[in-house]
């Protein structure tokens, strides 16, 4: 046995344990189990065709070699991405710390107060800098945030009686090209007509419901948003502003001028460019629109003792509740990146940010003066960091390229230069020398930076920001390190215990997969840098595409979508483009089984489709007769079906091939939601099942950590007929020959974290990947078996087996007055994060152990569940003072001099022996959700400010 094989590190149960587990569940071998689990007719005949696996050491050498093919040149391209300085204390304590990156989305608030606080800081930072009333805790990138702004303004237009039926949206021509492309993608399907034009000559006609401005514009000139918003308000046109967050330190907050929405990216707050992402976008708006806000809002509430506690507010599970009436399909966002950006603001504070912004502005002005002296025409009259030079671009480009400098050349007569946090005086001199050479003049040497005020008086910032204590306390490294640690200790992550979240696949995020993310030559590549400087990336991304194409059994892959839900939208838009290419513009019916994840119907509506829900049988399968009936009924207009496989009920439906055939026979395409790919890799695949497109969640199956709710990557893999339509990018050519417009801002989405999945596949190889799938299925069936007698499993395959996850029924416990949420909270006392609660069936838990969990850990979890079942048996409807209803128990409760509970402290906090070795203390008691929604507070406000409303 090669004890260095990565598969041995990734897969939890040792061989002896595997044998014990097989015996326990009553099969002779792993292959026997797989035979009993996966229907024969969909099993792959041959293994995957992938490279031989590398050990971790070999992989790190390999990825280091590839990094050398990237040229991290001095880059002044701008366009929404800038070199930045990630404080080392944030890199080491957050980015490289599994306590932060392996956490799940903070649905279980009592064991997530740390990241909730960091996200509340993020929202406060955004609210302060934008001058708006509320903000969410991150969206995927600036361009998708701008599209969400457009959708929000379109949705609220109906409430303005004057605007009913009005569908034109104005977009400034000075908007970033990738944002424009994304607005095109997102506007047409929902019936918005985009009008791109010059904001100075815009006529504020009543036919417009909204407008989007870039602040400062893409060429660097600061837009006069004050005048524009004024006029727009008079015409009842709502205005969204896409703002550069660092510039807002010096520019007046758009909220001051009456903007309705402000969006942007926080990449400049210490996040590496990473060839396009991931970075956290922000979205801020008025309180009046709080119910239309996409993504997640963190709110303040109180716990059972009346202490301050944080939680996700309002539409937390929005897609699952509202489905095709949801305001957006955003589920995974960019939590880890939002946490890091918020810490950048905590570390630097308002004074530090002003120092950084002033330095950038002054350096830009110093450069402008020198270039003017050399005879160049710098045309921006009011700017923050970007100069616009009118000259022969070709000449400058030639010299700059020779001198290894990246500038931006929007047209033949224009060069733009964006100064950033890393720009030194030496760099300014180097830039001057390039222009001097082009002008054939003696260069001008500068030795200091002049104080500058090249920002129009009317938009100079006067309002304070980041005045809260948290932004004015942790400015030494010791203090910040301890603050980060104090938050981390409140959160239960994979480095404490198993997180058995069904449908979310919380598996190992191996250190070797993650190490390269910190490396300079992966972090410091601009997404619009010339392709020859990004050869390392292009090699990795191409190979990852090929690997995923092979694994899914399709013809091609696009890595652009940066979440699963974005993948769904992308896949549907590709299907739509395919139908339209054949003249089938009318095909707009999307069949979705009732058990589908809520993002499915939400994405279908975004793609302009009409959702028709099909029934499930009592066994949890798709009701094939109902499906056939609906497919035939709508055959003239059928666009597609969205189907999850194995089903969200954790079953490999044996009718799947029949289902895909019914859809094809009626002219539709088959979209497979690939969130459950962990149950397929190496054993079956979507292509084999008869699907035409699927998205994958690289942050589930392919080892990208959840990061507390992002980043994610949701690539789509497609069959041959759909390849020409894969999404493009307006600056870097990507996608098919007839590419649809952009789905994400960057050409390859969140390229940096794609390294993780690439490493995962490289190190496991065909055999390791297949073994991982088999063990994921073994682990699930082992838990199913161990819980038998305590919990009933809803749904199983034809031979009584679970897939890689299972649903346990908790509805009968209502007799004892116990809800499924009580079990979730009680698990915290045992040191576990709850499984998925009430999805896809209300009143149930969905458990998914993944292949990475060892037998010992699963045994602890099962012991906890069985012990909780005994507690449930003792509970009574008539008395809610019990160990379940009072859960979770905090250290403060346990050590309190008073104890009013009918069970012992020991039973409350140390219910099983193993808990004593590794106790996790929830930092607050059960949070009050209703109170928080009634009194929405989503920024750091002094405690006195939120008394009973
Ligand atoms: C996780 C998941 C999604 C959504 O993925 P995000 O990355 O969170 O947008 C969609 N469908 C299913 C079945 C999922 O489990």
């Amino acid at each position: 046995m090669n004890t260095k094989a990565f598969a041995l590190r990734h897969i939890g149960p040792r061989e002896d344990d595997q044998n014990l587990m097989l015996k326990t569940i009553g099969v002779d071998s792993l292959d026997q189990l797989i035979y009993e689990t996966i229907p024969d007719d969909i099993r792959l005949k041959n293994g995957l065709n992938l490279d031989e696996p590398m050990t971790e050491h070999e992989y790190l050498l390999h990825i280091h070699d590839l990094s050398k093919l990237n040229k991290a040149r001095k880059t002044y391209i701008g366009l929404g991405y800038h070199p930045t300085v990630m404080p080392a204390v944030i890199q080491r304590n957050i980015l490289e710390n599994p306590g932060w990156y392996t956490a799940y989305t903070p649905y279980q608030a009592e064991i997530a107060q740390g990241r909730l606080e960091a996200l509340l800081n993020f929202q406060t930072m955004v609210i302060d800098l934008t001058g708006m009333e509320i903000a969410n805790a991150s969206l995927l990138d600036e361009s998708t945030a701008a599209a969400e702004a457009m959708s929000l303004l379109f949705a609220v237009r109906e409430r303005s009686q004057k605007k009913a039926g009005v569908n034109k949206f104005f977009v400034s021509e000075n908007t970033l090209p990738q944002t424009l492309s994304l607005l095109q993608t997102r506007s047409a399907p929902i019936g918005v007509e985009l009008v791109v034009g010059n904001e100075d000559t815009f006529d504020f006609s009543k036919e417009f419901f909204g407008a989007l401005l870039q602040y400062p514009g893409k060429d660097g000139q600061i837009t006069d948003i004050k005048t524009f918003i004024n006029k727009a308000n008079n015409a009842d046109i709502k205005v969204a502003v896409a703002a550069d967050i660092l510039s807002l330190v010096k520019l007046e907050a758009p909220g001051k001028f009456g903007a309705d929405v402000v969006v942007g990216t926080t990449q400049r707050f210490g996040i590496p460019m990473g060839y396009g992402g991931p970075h956290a976008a922000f979205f801020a708006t008025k309180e009046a629109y709080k119910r239309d806000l996409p993504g997640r809002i963190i709110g303040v509430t109180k716990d059972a003792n009346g202490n301050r506690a944080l939680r996700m507010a309002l539409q937390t599970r929005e897609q699952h509740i509202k489905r095709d009436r949801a305001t957006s399909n955003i589920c995974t966002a960019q939590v880890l990146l939002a946490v890091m950006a918020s810490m950048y603001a905590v570390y630097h504070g308002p004074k530090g940010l002003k120092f950084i912004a002033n330095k950038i502005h002054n350096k830009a002005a110093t450069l402008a003066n020198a270039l003017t002296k050399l005879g160049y025409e710098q045309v921006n009259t009011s700017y923050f960091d970007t100069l616009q030079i009118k000259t022969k671009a070709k000449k400058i480009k030639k010299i700059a390229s020779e001198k290894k400098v990246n500038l931006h050349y929007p047209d033949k007569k224009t060069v733009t230069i964006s100064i950033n946090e890393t720009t030194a005086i030496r760099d300014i001199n180097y830039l001057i020398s390039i222009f001097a050479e082009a002008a054939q003049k003696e260069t001008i040497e500068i030795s200091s930076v002049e104080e500058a005020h090249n920002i129009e008086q009317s938009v100079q910032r006067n309002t304070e920001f980041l005045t809260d204590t948290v932004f004015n306390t942790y400015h030494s490294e010791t203090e910040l390190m301890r603050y980060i640690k104090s938050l981390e200790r409140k959160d239960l992550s994979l480095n404490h215990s198993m997180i058995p979240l069904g449908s979310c696949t919380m598996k190992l995020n191996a250190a070797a997969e993650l190490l390269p993310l910190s490396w300079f030559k992966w972090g410091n590549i601009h997404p619009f840098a010339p392709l020859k400087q990004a050869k390392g990336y292009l090699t990795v991304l191409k190979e990852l595409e090929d690997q995923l194409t092979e694994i899914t059994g399709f013809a091609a892959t696009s890595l652009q979508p940066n979440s699963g839900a974005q993948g769904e939208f992308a896949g549907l838009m590709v299907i739509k483009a395919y139908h339209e290419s054949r003249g089938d513009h009318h095909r707009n019916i999307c069949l979705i089984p009732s058990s589908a994840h809520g993002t499915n119907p939400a994405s279908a509506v975004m793609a302009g489709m009409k959702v028709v829900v099909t029934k499930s049988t009592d066994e949890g399968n798709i009701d094939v007769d109902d499906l056939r009936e609906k497919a035939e009924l709508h055959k003239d207009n059928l666009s597609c079906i969205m189907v999850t496989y194995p089903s969200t009920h954790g079953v490999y439906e044996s009718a799947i091939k029949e289902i895909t055939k019914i859809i094809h026979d009626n002219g539709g395409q088959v979209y497979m939601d690939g969130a459950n790919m962990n149950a397929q890799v190496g054993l079956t695949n979507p292509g084999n099942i008869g699907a035409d497109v699927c998205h994958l969640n690289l942050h589930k199956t392919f080892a990208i950590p959840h990061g507390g709710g992002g980043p994610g990557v949701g690539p789509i893999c497609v069959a041959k007929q759909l390849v020409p339509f894969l999404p493009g990018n307006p600056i870097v050519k990507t996608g098919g020959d007839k590419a649809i417009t952009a789905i994400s801002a960057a050409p390859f989405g969140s390229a940096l974290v794609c390294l993780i999945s690439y490493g995962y596949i490289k190190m496991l190889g065909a055999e390791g990947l297949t073994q991982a799938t088999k063990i994921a299925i073994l682990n699930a069936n082992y838990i199913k078996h161990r819980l038998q007698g305590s919990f009933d499993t809803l749904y199983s395959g034809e031979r009584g087996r679970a897939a890689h996850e299972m649903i346990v029924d908790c509805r009968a416990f209502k007799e004892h007055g116990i809800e499924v949420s009580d079990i979730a909270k009680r698990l915290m006392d045992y040191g576990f994060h709850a499984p998925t609660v009430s999805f896809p069936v209300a009143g149930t838990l969905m458990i998914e152990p993944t292949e990475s969990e060892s037998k010992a850990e699963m045994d602890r979890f099962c012991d906890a569940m069985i012990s909780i079942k005994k507690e449930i048996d003792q509970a009574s409807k008539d008395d809610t003072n019990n160990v379940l209803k009072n859960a979770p128990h905090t250290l403060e409760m346990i050590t309190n001099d008073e104890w009013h509970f009918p069970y012992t402290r020991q039973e409350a906090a140390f219910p099983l022996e193993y808990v004593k070795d590794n106790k996790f203390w929830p930092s607050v008691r059960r949070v009050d959700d209703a109170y928080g929604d009634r009194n929405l507070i989503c920024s750091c406000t002094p405690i006195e400010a939120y008394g009973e409303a």
Side-chain angles (χ1 to χ4, degrees):
M1 187 166 66
N2 175 5
T3 55
K4 284 202 165 165
F6 176 67
L8 286 179
R9 311 301 186 201
H10 177 76
I11 292 173
R14 303 293 87 190
E15 210 177 321
D16 291 350
D17 291 333
Q18 293 172 19
N19 292 333
L20 261 173
M21 288 157 62
L22 289 166
K23 212 168 175 181
T24 310
I25 65 174
V27 288
D28 298 333
S29 67
L30 200 48
D31 287 337
Q32 175 71 22
L33 172 65
I34 300 307
Y35 169 77
E36 291 182 10
T37 310
I38 306 184
D40 288 333
D41 65 328
I42 63 161
R43 284 287 302 278
L44 291 181
K45 301 285 171 291
N46 302 310
L48 296 171
N49 183 13
L50 298 167
D51 288 350
E52 282 299 304
M54 293 179 175
T55 65
E56 290 159 87
H57 181 66
E58 285 164 348
Y59 174 70
L60 288 170
L61 292 176
H62 163 77
I63 200 75
H64 190 256
D65 280 346
L66 285 180
S67 76
K68 292 186 213 151
L69 301 179
N70 292 329
K71 305 286 174 238
R73 301 235 162 117
K74 289 281 177 191
T75 291
Y76 309 91
I77 296 172
L79 296 179
Y81 304 92
H82 301 264
T84 176
V85 180
M86 176 177 15
V89 54
I90 294 175
Q91 175 179 334
R92 173 147 292 205
N93 293 286
I94 299 178
L95 177 63
E96 298 175 347
N97 180 350
W100 284 94
Y101 65 71
T102 68
Y104 180 61
T105 306
Y107 288 121
Q108 299 296 337
E110 297 83 357
I111 50 174
Q113 292 292 303
R115 56 196 185 277
L116 285 164
E117 178 164 328
L119 293 175
L120 193 76
N121 294 345
F122 178 87
Q123 289 177 178
T124 307
M125 163 188 111
V126 170
I127 288 171
D128 279 12
L129 285 166
T130 60
M132 302 303 287
E133 288 164 351
I134 56 170
N136 72 7
S138 93
L139 289 178
L140 298 164
D141 58 34
E142 173 165 333
S143 302
T144 50
E148 295 293 342
M150 173 184 72
S151 305
L152 180 143
L153 296 182
F154 191 51
V156 303
R157 114 208 119 130
E158 293 299 339
R159 280 171 235 161
S160 146
Q161 283 159 5
K162 293 176 222 154
K163 291 288 169 183
V166 171
N167 74 337
K168 282 191 186 167
F169 188 74
F170 173 79
V171 186
S172 159
E173 62 194 9
N174 216 345
T175 301
L176 298 175
Q178 63 271 29
T179 298
L180 206 50
S181 178
L182 228 138
L183 289 170
Q184 282 163 0
T185 315
R186 295 278 295 270
S187 56
I190 56 171
V192 169
E193 189 186 329
L194 277 195
V195 178
V196 181
N198 183 302
E199 62 256 28
D200 296 327
T201 56
F202 180 55
D203 66 359
F204 298 93
S205 136
K206 300 270 181 217
E207 287 163 35
F208 288 82
F209 70 88
L212 177 85
L213 302 176
Q214 189 89 40
Y215 181 59
K218 70 171 181 207
D219 58 16
Q221 173 71 26
I222 294 171
T223 321
D224 179 8
I225 61 168
K226 187 176 177 178
T227 311
F228 186 95
I229 294 173
N230 238 326
K231 288 187 189 162
N233 283 348
N234 290 336
D236 206 22
I237 297 170
K238 306 260 184 261
V239 182
V241 176
D244 175 314
I245 193 151
L246 192 54
S247 78
L248 292 181
V249 168
K250 291 190 69 71
L251 298 184
E252 191 50 278
K256 279 271 152 197
F257 301 136
D260 293 282
V261 183
V262 185
V263 298
T265 172
T266 57
Q267 185 264 321
R268 296 193 92 167
F269 279 16
I271 313 297
M273 293 182 289
Y275 202 45
H279 317 125
F282 63 85
F283 190 109
T285 186
K286 294 178 169 168
E287 174 105 26
Y289 306 144
K290 67 184 177 195
R291 295 201 181 270
D292 302 281
L293 189 75
R296 282 139 180 181
I297 316 173
I298 309 310
V300 182
T301 187
K302 54 183 192 177
D303 75 356
N305 276 356
N307 291 327
R308 178 181 185 268
L310 307 177
R311 56 184 270 283
M312 295 206 286
L314 298 178
Q315 62 275 63
T316 303
R317 284 275 187 187
E318 194 203 42
Q319 289 87 21
H320 289 318
I321 299 161
K322 294 211 219 142
R323 300 175 70 88
D324 53 340
R325 286 174 298 107
T327 48
S328 87
N329 70 344
I330 300 290
C331 196
T332 288
Q334 302 278 21
V335 169
L336 190 70
L337 296 309
V339 167
M340 289 169 63
S342 81
M343 288 299 177
Y344 180 92
V346 167
Y347 198 35
H348 289 299
K351 284 194 196 129
L353 291 183
K354 278 180 200 161
F355 177 82
I356 293 166
N358 284 336
K359 277 270 189 235
I360 290 174
H361 180 62
N362 295 346
K363 280 176 188 152
T366 305
L367 175 63
N369 289 344
L371 297 184
T372 313
K373 276 190 203 142
L374 286 172
Y376 286 97
E377 189 195 0
Q378 195 289 113
V379 296
N380 288 342
T381 51
S382 173
Y383 60 84
F384 165 59
D385 63 353
T386 301
L387 308 179
Q388 185 179 183
I389 315 290
K390 290 295 175 193
T391 182
K392 275 202 185 117
K394 211 168 157 188
K395 204 162 161 193
I396 302 291
K397 187 171 180 176
K398 184 164 180 293
I399 299 168
S401 307
E402 279 164 15
K403 294 198 156 201
K404 301 188 188 327
V405 165
N406 293 327
L407 306 175
H408 181 54
Y409 312 95
D411 59 52
K412 283 185 181 150
K413 284 177 280 180
T414 315
V415 181
T416 65
I417 312 167
S418 288
I419 302 303
N420 61 70
E421 188 190 355
T422 69
T423 310
I425 291 181
R426 166 175 86 248
D427 300 320
I428 300 286
N429 279 321
Y430 200 65
L431 285 166
I432 298 170
S433 76
I434 291 169
F435 284 83
E437 189 177 326
Q440 292 176 322
K441 288 189 178 164
E442 185 91 2
T443 194
I444 300 167
E445 190 82 23
I446 58 139
S447 55
S448 65
V449 173
E450 306 141 29
E451 177 81 26
H453 301 282
N454 293 351
I455 295 171
E456 188 91 45
Q457 185 85 37
S458 65
V459 293
Q460 278 177 23
R461 185 160 191 125
N462 292 312
T463 36
E464 290 287 309
F465 58 92
L466 305 189
T467 51
D468 286 290
T469 320
V470 69
F471 298 109
N472 293 282
T473 307
Y474 309 108
H475 300 327
S476 75
E477 179 165 334
T478 303
E479 283 292 306
L480 187 71
M481 174 180 71
R482 288 185 188 147
Y483 177 58
I484 292 173
K485 183 70 189 174
S486 75
L487 298 188
E488 182 198 337
R489 281 160 47 101
K490 296 178 179 174
D491 288 10
L492 191 144
S493 303
L494 278 177
N495 63 350
H496 181 86
S497 59
M498 152 182 185
I499 302 183
L501 278 159
S503 205
C504 298
T505 316
M506 302 286 289
K507 61 168 65 177
L508 171 74
N509 316 115
E513 291 156 1
L514 283 143
L515 280 180
L517 266 54
S518 305
W519 297 352
F520 188 80
K521 289 198 165 181
W522 292 114
N524 286 282
I525 310 294
H526 192 288
F528 304 140
L531 291 179
K532 54 181 189 296
Q533 294 174 26
K535 280 195 184 143
Y537 264 114
L538 297 174
T539 307
V540 167
L541 298 172
K542 175 72 175 72
E543 189 167 340
L544 178 59
E545 285 175 10
D546 291 347
Q547 289 164 339
L548 298 176
T549 300
E550 167 70 14
I551 288 168
T552 53
F554 277 131
T557 294
S558 164
L559 295 168
Q560 200 179 99
N562 42 20
S563 77
Q566 292 304 94
E568 292 170 16
F569 174 69
L572 294 174
M573 292 302 286
V574 163
I575 289 176
K576 191 183 171 88
Y578 164 75
H579 283 314
E580 287 175 1
S581 76
R582 295 154 49 97
D584 287 344
H585 293 261
H586 53 283
R587 290 199 172 270
N588 72 336
I589 301 285
C590 178
L591 301 181
I592 302 185
S594 57
S595 59
H597 195 267
T599 52
N600 289 188
S603 300
V605 169
M606 280 167 61
M609 295 186 184
K610 236 185 101 205
V611 174
V612 173
V613 178
T614 73
K615 291 184 200 148
S616 303
T617 64
D618 293 342
E619 293 79 47
N621 294 324
I622 291 175
D623 182 334
V624 180
D625 292 334
D626 183 59
L627 178 86
R628 184 179 295 110
E629 199 175 297
K630 283 173 176 152
E632 284 171 3
L633 177 67
H634 295 289
K635 71 174 188 305
D636 294 336
N637 297 313
L638 185 63
S639 174
C640 58
I641 187 173
M642 293 185 89
V643 56
T644 306
Y645 198 79
S647 74
T648 45
H649 292 154
V651 179
Y652 296 89
E653 269 159 286
S654 39
I656 188 68
K657 282 201 163 172
E658 189 184 348
I659 291 166
T660 56
K661 182 164 186 306
I662 292 171
I663 299 303
H664 288 145
D665 288 349
N666 288 290
Q669 294 278 294
V670 175
Y671 182 97
M672 205 201 77
D673 181 325
N676 290 345
M677 196 66 202
N678 212 47
Q680 295 187 36
V681 180
L683 299 176
T684 181
N685 65 40
N688 191 41
I689 289 164
D692 300 289
V693 45
C694 77
H695 82 261
L696 300 173
N697 290 59
L698 298 192
H699 47 301
K700 293 177 180 172
T701 311
F702 294 93
I704 294 178
H706 282 251
V713 178
I716 53 169
C717 311
V718 298
K720 206 165 89 210
Q721 77 277 14
L722 299 180
V723 177
F725 308 102
L726 287 175
N729 174 276
I731 296 176
V732 176
K733 196 200 158 325
T734 45
D737 302 336
K738 299 177 198 157
I740 59 168
T741 44
I743 293 293
S744 302
F748 299 96
S750 296
L752 182 63
V753 288
C754 284
L755 292 176
I756 300 167
S757 301
Y758 172 77
Y760 174 76
I761 297 169
K762 270 286 194 221
M763 291 191 284
L764 278 180
E767 206 179 312
L769 287 167
T770 310
Q771 184 71 3
T773 310
K774 290 179 182 174
I775 301 296
I777 293 168
L778 172 63
N779 279 2
N781 280 287
Y782 177 69
I783 289 184
K784 176 168 180 269
H785 190 89
R786 276 222 51 200
L787 294 183
Q788 251 166 36
S790 298
F791 295 87
D792 291 336
T793 306
L794 280 180
Y795 319 121
S796 333
E798 286 178 349
R799 299 188 180 103
R801 298 293 176 195
H804 65 311
E805 61 191 7
M806 84 221 68
I807 297 174
V808 297
D809 197 351
C810 303
R811 291 172 294 194
F813 308 145
K814 282 211 172 88
E815 258 177 54
H816 297 269
I818 300 302
E819 306 285 333
V820 67
S821 59
D822 298 319
I823 302 174
K825 302 306 171 189
R826 182 59 177 150
L827 272 168
M828 296 172 185
D829 289 331
Y830 287 82
F832 282 105
H833 190 290
T836 300
V837 177
S838 286
F839 171 78
V841 183
T844 66
L845 293 171
M846 182 154 60
I847 303 170
E848 178 183 6
T850 83
E851 68 278 11
S852 298
E853 295 302 338
S854 66
K855 178 172 175 295
E857 180 72 354
M858 290 189 291
D859 281 334
R860 282 188 287 271
F861 173 74
C862 292
D863 291 345
M865 289 293 285
I866 292 164
S867 172
I868 289 174
K869 175 60 178 28
K870 290 184 190 138
E871 294 168 357
I872 295 170
D873 291 340
Q874 283 160 25
S876 142
K877 221 190 209 145
D878 310 322
D879 186 4
T880 56
N881 187 2
N882 63 49
V883 76
L884 284 138
K885 287 285 176 200
N886 292 330
H889 296 81
T890 58
L891 183 60
E892 192 194 352
M893 278 172 92
I894 298 294
T895 55
N896 201 301
D897 288 341
E898 288 175 40
W899 182 257
H900 300 300
F901 307 107
Y903 46 87
T904 67
R905 288 176 159 100
Q906 170 98 8
E907 284 162 344
F910 298 96
L912 286 176
E913 202 53 33
Y914 77 81
V915 183
K916 291 180 186 161
D917 285 338
N918 194 17
K919 177 66 185 172
F920 184 89
W921 289 105
S923 56
V924 295
R925 288 193 62 187
R926 203 177 295 194
V927 301
D928 187 338
D929 286 322
Y931 178 86
D933 279 351
R934 276 198 314 275
N935 309 282
L936 183 68
I937 293 168
C938 65
S939 61
C940 320
T941 322
I943 213 143
E944 313 80 62
Y946 54 91
E948 192 79 44

